Amino acid sequence: MPAIAPDRRELLLDAAQALFAERPFDAVSIADITQRAGVAFGLVAHYFGSKRGIYVASMQAMADQLRAVRDRPPEQDDMAIALQVGIRRHIAYLEEHAVGFRVLMRGGIGADEEVRQIVMKLRWEGAERVMMALNVNHPIGPELYSAMYGWVGFLNESMLAWLEQKAFPREQFATMIIVMLAATLRTVITMNPHTGIDPRLLDRLELGS
Amino acid sequence: MPAIAPDRRELLLDAAQALFAERPFDAVSIADITQRAGVAFGLVAHYFGSKRGIYVASMQAMADQLRAVRDRPPEQDDMAIALQVGIRRHIAYLEEHAVGFRVLMRGGIGADEEVRQIVMKLRWEGAERVMMALNVNHPIGPELYSAMYGWVGFLNESMLAWLEQKAFPREQFATMIIVMLAATLRTVITMNPHTGIDPRLLDRLELGS
């Protein structure tokens, strides 16, 4: 059976991701993208309308891939371990796609409102996945809301700093993120005891890491 | 004694900060800025060269003000209390200048490389101030480097979420940030015992808050 050829839309998205990660938005032309993808010039307009259209779509594609990796169901039922597996997968994916991650986070190639929305949605979904696993009460209290945004900010910023140097193992970095999640949630429980989070789950989350 | 009139450069910067906080970069004209400032149209070119020039200068001015507030020497010598005072001042300033803070963080009005540099410098200086107060060993280990970026990310992201709702007191928010600093540094000490940070200082930092 012959390998299935990636479709041309896919080839264009891959080329766009690579180019927008290398150069500012204004320094990438439609011709650059179609040449890299090895397809006809007119196809960017056909599939995406414009250069901005393929830019937004390429950022959306990266966010979708990250979401798919993070949300793949874990193999076991233990919630503490499932959370750890999810966080470690997320971090491994970011390491593999470090350039694209930097572009998404820093918006260095043109602060596009639509891309900003894609990133904000992705952030909050990550926090929501964690809170779902922890069985938090709804509605989410304001302390937990603020703190979970904080933890996602911790993860993203410390990850960018870690990627600069990679001076200690990823396993250890992931452990730091998991321990900081437990610390974040313990702080919230102290501020507001009505979160529904079981502190024993946090002990196991931390220990198992 | 008559009040000293703010100079025209100052008036322009204030007007630019307010307008760029309200509207995207492209939706603000030089005429909008000079009208708001009540000065002649030609003065933007005279002082700042261009619209981009006054945009970058207005972001730089905000960063400088924040730095001045944060770095004002505290009135007492106790290092744990001095740190708490510095962090609380920083947070109070961000609350007072919430719109500008959001613009600086989200880059929603045009991702300008120069503005990005201003923000990144401001972030790391904040982390450095904290580490100076804690007497950390130099060179800074990679775990501490990554974790301090993480803590600054926690502060900024949780602050943006807190500002959306303001559903619990600022005092309590500041305490959360201080407790998370202690948790961050404890985690680093576990990973790398050669930071030079005295764990007893962290106990006092947390307790006194």
Side-chain angles (χ1 to χ4, degrees):
Chain A
M1 205 171 76
I4 296 164
D7 71 12
R8 294 175 302 174
R9 190 175 179 281
E10 210 70 22
L11 288 171
L12 280 167
L13 280 178
D14 288 350
Q17 271 188 5
L19 286 164
F20 287 128
E22 283 167 17
R23 305 210 286 263
F25 182 77
D26 290 337
V28 175
S29 69
I30 292 181
D32 293 336
I33 300 170
T34 52
Q35 260 170 34
R36 181 120 162 194
V39 303
F41 184 86
L43 285 179
V44 165
H46 173 68
Y47 285 119
F48 305 101
S50 64
K51 188 173 85 171
R52 183 177 166 277
I54 192 170
Y55 167 54
V56 173
S58 70
M59 294 299 123
Q60 181 69 65
M62 163 127 190
D64 290 342
Q65 285 151 17
L66 182 52
R67 190 175 282 129
V69 171
R70 186 185 64 200
D71 296 353
R72 212 168 62 205
E75 286 76 19
Q76 16 56 32
D77 299 327
D78 184 308
M79 202 41 91
I81 297 177
L83 250 179
Q84 288 171 14
V85 170
I87 292 170
R88 285 180 187 276
R89 272 187 193 153
H90 180 88
I91 290 170
Y93 182 87
L94 295 183
E95 185 184 6
E96 275 165 45
H97 298 82
V99 180
F101 170 55
R102 200 172 292 123
V103 174
L104 264 186
M105 284 304 124
R106 293 283 177 249
I109 57 170
D112 194 291
E113 177 58 22
E114 212 169 325
V115 172
R116 206 181 68 77
Q117 294 293 341
I118 291 169
V119 174
M120 293 311 292
K121 187 160 174 282
L122 190 67
R123 280 187 183 201
W124 187 239
E125 278 175 2
E128 270 182 332
R129 289 284 302 179
V130 170
M131 291 189 289
M132 208 195 300
L134 292 165
N135 244 322
V136 300
N137 291 332
H138 283 79
I140 292 157
E143 299 89 353
L144 185 57
Y145 178 80
S146 169
M148 284 306 295
Y149 264 108
W151 176 72
V152 174
F154 188 102
L155 167 51
N156 288 329
E157 293 301 323
S158 60
M159 179 96 197
L160 289 170
W162 177 75
L163 285 169
E164 266 176 42
Q165 308 186 326
K166 289 206 198 174
F168 58 102
R170 189 182 72 208
E171 276 303 290
Q172 234 179 308
F173 175 76
T175 300
M176 177 173 92
I177 296 302
I178 293 166
V179 169
M180 287 307 296
L181 174 61
T184 301
L185 296 169
R186 282 207 189 89
T187 306
V188 172
I189 293 174
T190 311
M191 297 170 76
N192 178 351
H194 307 294
T195 57
I197 301 172
D198 182 351
R200 287 168 301 181
L201 187 59
L202 300 183
D203 295 342
R204 288 203 303 115
L205 178 63
E206 203 167 35
L207 270 183
S209 73
Chain B
M1 205 170 76
I4 296 165
D7 71 13
R8 294 175 302 175
R9 191 175 179 282
E10 210 70 22
L11 288 171
L12 280 167
L13 280 178
D14 288 349
Q17 270 186 6
L19 285 165
F20 288 128
E22 283 166 17
R23 305 209 286 264
F25 181 77
D26 290 336
V28 175
S29 70
I30 292 182
D32 292 336
I33 299 171
T34 51
Q35 260 169 36
R36 179 120 166 194
V39 303
F41 183 87
L43 286 180
V44 165
H46 174 68
Y47 286 118
F48 304 101
S50 64
K51 188 173 84 170
R52 183 176 167 278
I54 192 170
Y55 167 56
V56 174
S58 70
M59 293 299 122
Q60 181 69 65
M62 163 127 191
D64 290 343
Q65 286 151 18
L66 181 53
R67 190 176 281 127
V69 171
R70 186 185 63 200
D71 297 352
R72 213 167 62 205
E75 287 76 19
Q76 16 56 33
D77 299 329
D78 183 309
M79 201 41 88
I81 297 177
L83 250 180
Q84 288 170 14
V85 170
I87 291 170
R88 286 181 185 275
R89 271 185 194 154
H90 181 88
I91 289 171
Y93 182 87
L94 294 183
E95 185 184 7
E96 275 166 45
H97 299 81
V99 180
F101 170 56
R102 200 171 294 125
V103 174
L104 265 186
M105 283 304 125
R106 293 284 177 248
I109 56 171
D112 194 291
E113 178 57 24
E114 211 168 328
V115 171
R116 204 182 70 77
Q117 294 293 341
I118 292 169
V119 174
M120 292 311 293
K121 187 159 176 280
L122 190 67
R123 279 186 184 201
W124 186 239
E125 278 174 3
E128 270 182 332
R129 289 283 302 179
V130 171
M131 290 189 291
M132 208 194 300
L134 292 165
N135 245 322
V136 300
N137 290 333
H138 281 80
I140 292 158
E143 299 88 354
L144 186 57
Y145 178 79
S146 170
M148 283 307 294
Y149 263 108
W151 175 73
V152 174
F154 189 102
L155 167 50
N156 288 330
E157 293 300 323
S158 60
M159 180 95 197
L160 288 170
W162 177 76
L163 284 169
E164 267 176 44
Q165 308 186 324
K166 287 204 196 174
F168 59 101
R170 188 182 72 209
E171 278 302 289
Q172 234 179 308
F173 175 76
T175 300
M176 176 173 94
I177 296 302
I178 293 166
V179 170
M180 287 307 297
L181 175 60
T184 301
L185 295 169
R186 280 205 191 91
T187 305
V188 172
I189 293 174
T190 311
M191 296 169 77
N192 178 352
H194 307 294
T195 58
I197 300 172
D198 182 351
R200 287 168 302 182
L201 188 59
L202 300 183
D203 294 343
R204 290 204 301 113
L205 177 64
E206 202 167 34
L207 269 183
S209 72

